[in-house]
């Protein structure tokens, strides 16, 4: 039985479009200082996001962007690089001359060494001139887009130079840290401890761009703003949950970084854990940052410990080998630049996870992520229990398909519900149909980029979408047994999957052993 797209689609009941939504605006002047500004993230994500906010009139009249990095560069060169990045990646197009000039006038570049106090003194000078002509230090958002080894020295120097203690006199200073935050539980703990010597927890914004995605935020709205779903959202009605984050890209130019990371550290510890928490958490007592994060931490603490193995019934790790995708020949992971010929780093991970609490008793959560898979897609599938094998569900070989609520995080953001209907006619024929909601169709445009929302939130002091220290540690604590086992039990070879395929056979076997299959894979192969 195939699931045909249904003629039933949704429309917004009171025809609200995205452009009607209330717009939050930053009231206070501030400076955004980006450490590691010569890196890719600044060009591709951060500055395009700020430019979008600027174009939409969300920034105060007085704001500035200062890029801080070790490379020698003039303001003019820096601005030109950023203009190219904005033209390539910004949601608001075209990047016309007039608006770009107005925006670029607020951008400057500052060369400095991360450990050298002189650079911070000069930065302080610039900051007092750029935002507060009065000579006082104004509001500052420090964004650390540096390699993680620089987090501690930068924060220490910011503190030593008095740049992050400016919460007096009505001004604020906050520090945003890019992932990865540690590489296991003990390093994350040590980093938390060190940062908290210089900063209050409410000045620390550990970013995970998945939380800024519109559809990820919609998970809580779907669950708690509708009376329909929440009563069914538990072990009585849910059979299992599948989370797939699949990417078509390989490691690209990031082989060096990825070798030290792998799919578990790069994607599971952060992005997938957040998705899991949002799907599994209890309703928070309010939407304030700590109430939401308290509930997420409870989920992480309720996770059944994983076995300390690098492979096993509940843990699949694999690497992409050479393959062909859309007529293009793709290299295997071992052949990528910066990757060791005998690398044991996984580019794919699948886990069977249990949340040991009353709500989720006996419901497996299957998580998987991989590079060089056939589609770029992030989807959460809530699979409801099959109906009893009576009445319409008596076919021995082809039982009725279960109802599946699919939350499409990206691309084609939306939600669909699969259910059974009778095909019109004199015979009783039943077919699954899909009721589909698409953000783009219902709200008239693509949702904003994650970094727009997150930068705005950080500048507004709203930390719900950032990871708290105990949350990051609980996520590492869950993965630590596997990471530890991988360090100590060097298996001779990881299973391989051809680039462009849906991962290794072992991951399919993991579900097949439970009488299940990956929904996204099955759908894409129809
Ligand atoms: C990053 C990972 O955090 O997320 C990358 O380091 C990955 O390896 C990326 O490609 C995926 O993000 P998105 O938004 O493209 O799904």
């Amino acid at each position: 039985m195939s699931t045909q797209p249904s003629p039933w689609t949704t429309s917004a009941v009171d025809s609200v479009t995205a452009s009607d939504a209330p717009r939050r605006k930053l009231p206070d002047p501030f400076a955004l200082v980006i450490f590691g500004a010569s890196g890719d993230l600044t060009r591709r994500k951060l500055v395009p996001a700020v430019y979008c906010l600027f174009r939409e009139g969300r920034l105060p009249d007085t704001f500035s962007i200062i890029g801080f990095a070790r490379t020698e560069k003039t303001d003019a060169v820096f601005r030109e690089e950023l203009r190219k990045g904005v033209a390539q990646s910004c949601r608001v197009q075209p990047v016309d001359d007039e608006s770009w000039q107005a925006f670029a006038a607020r951008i400057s570049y500052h060369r400095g060494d991360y450990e050298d106090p002189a650079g911070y003194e000069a930065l302080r000078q610039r900051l007092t001139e750029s935002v507060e002509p009065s000579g006082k230090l104004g509001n500052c958002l420090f964004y650390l887009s540096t390699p993680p080894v620089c987090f501690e020295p930068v924060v220490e120097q910011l503190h030593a130079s008095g740049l992050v203690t400016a919460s007096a006199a009505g001004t604020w200073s906050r520090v945003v840290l890019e992932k990865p935050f540690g590489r296991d539980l003990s390093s994350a703990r040590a980093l938390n401890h060190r940062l908290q010597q210089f900063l209050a927890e409410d000045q620390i914004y550990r970013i995970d761009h998945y939380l800024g995605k519109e559809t990820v935020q919609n998970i809580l709205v779907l669950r708690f703003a509708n009376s329909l779903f929440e009563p069914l959202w538990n072990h009585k009605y849910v059979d299992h949950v599948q989370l797939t984050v699949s990417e078509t890209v390989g490691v690209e130019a990031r082989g060096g970084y990825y070798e030290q990371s792998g799919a578990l550290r790069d994607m599971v510890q952060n992005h997938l854990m957040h998705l899991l928490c949002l799907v599994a958490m209890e309703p928070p007592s309010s939407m304030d940052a700590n109430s939401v994060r308290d509930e997420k931490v409870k989920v992480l603490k309720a996770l059944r410990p994983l076995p300390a193995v690098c492979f096993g019934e509940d843990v699949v790790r694999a690497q992409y080998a050479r393959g062909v995708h859309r007529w293009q020949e793709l290299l295997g992971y071992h052949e990528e630049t910066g990757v060791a010929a005998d690398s044991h780093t996984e580019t794919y991970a699948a886990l069977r996870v249990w949340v040991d609490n009353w709500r989720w008793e006996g419901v497996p959560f299957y998580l998987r992520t991989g590079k060089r898979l056939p589609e770029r897609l992030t989807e959460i599938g809530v699979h409801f229990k099959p109906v009893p094998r009576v009445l319409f569900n008596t076919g021995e070989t082809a039982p009725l398909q279960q109802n599946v609520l699919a939350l499409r995080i990206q691309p084609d953001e939306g939600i669909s519900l699969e259910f059974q209907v009778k095909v019109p006619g004199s015979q009783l024929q039943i077919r699954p149909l899909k009721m589909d909601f698409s953000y783009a169709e219902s709200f008239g445009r693509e949702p904003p980029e994650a970094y727009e929302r997150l930068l705005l939130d950080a500048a507004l002091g709203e930390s719900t979408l950032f990871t708290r220290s105990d949350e990051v540690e609980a996520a590492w604590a869950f993965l630590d047994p596997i990471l530890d086992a991988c360090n100590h039990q060097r298996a001779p070879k990881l299973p391989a999957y051809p680039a462009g395929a849906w991962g290794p056979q072992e991951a399919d076997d993991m579900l097949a052993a439970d009488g299940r299959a990956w929904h996204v894979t099955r759908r894409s192969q129809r």
Side-chain angles (χ1 to χ4, degrees), residues 179 209-210 213 245 247 249 254 257-258 266-267 270-271 371 376 378 410:
K179 66 174 261 283
H209 76 281
Y210 262 61
K213 292 182 192 274
V245 180
E247 297 189 274
V249 288
R254 298 163 77 219
Y257 152 77
Y258 202 83
D266 187 47
M267 300 293 285
N270 32 72
H271 308 327
K371 295 214 180 275
R376 175 176 182 258
T378 298
Q410 64 184 18

Side-chain angles (χ1 to χ4, degrees), residues 195-214:
L195 296 180
Q196 285 162 351
Q197 290 180 327
F198 304 116
L199 299 164
E201 178 62 23
D202 65 7
Q203 287 180 293
I204 307 175
Y205 287 70
R206 298 171 195 81
I207 203 165
D208 182 307
H209 76 281
Y210 262 61
L211 289 180
K213 292 182 192 274
E214 195 68 33

